[in-house]
């Protein structure tokens, strides 16, 4: 399987025009500067690149939680 965490971090960093090192996998999406519309847009790109379906929920608030969800459902 692809490097899920690396792919997600890269997609978010590119979207925010930041270096990947600036994106913490344990910070909430809000803390790294994403709102719900940003997240929806990014999820579409992640689904395409990772070739998976991502069902978001209120509990998925960090990159680490998103990675765990994707790996569990893939």
């Amino acid at each position: 399987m692809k490097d899920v965490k690396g792919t997600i971090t890269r997609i978010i960093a590119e979207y925010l025009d930041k270096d990947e090192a600036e994106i913490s996998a344990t910070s909430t999406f809000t803390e790294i500067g994403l709102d719900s519309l940003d997240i929806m847009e990014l999820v579409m790109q992640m689904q395409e690149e990772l070739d998976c379906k991502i069902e978001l929920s209120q509990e998925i608030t960090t990159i680490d939680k998103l990675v765990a969800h994707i790996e569990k459902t893939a």
Side-chain angles (χ1 to χ4, degrees), residues 36-53:
S36 58
L37 292 175
D38 294 328
I39 293 166
M40 292 306 299
E41 199 171 311
L42 289 166
V43 162
M44 288 189 287
Q45 185 177 349
M46 291 172 195
Q47 289 179 133
E48 190 174 304
E49 287 201 33
L50 295 169
D51 193 29
C52 68
K53 180 83 176 121

Side-chain angles (χ1 to χ4, degrees), residues 16-17 25 57:
L16 294 173
D17 196 27
S57 71

Side-chain angles (χ1 to χ4, degrees), residues 23-40:
I23 308 296
S24 168
T26 57
S27 295
T28 65
F29 295 127
T30 305
E31 289 171 341
I32 56 178
L34 299 172
D35 63 26
S36 58
L37 292 175
D38 294 328
I39 293 166
M40 292 306 299

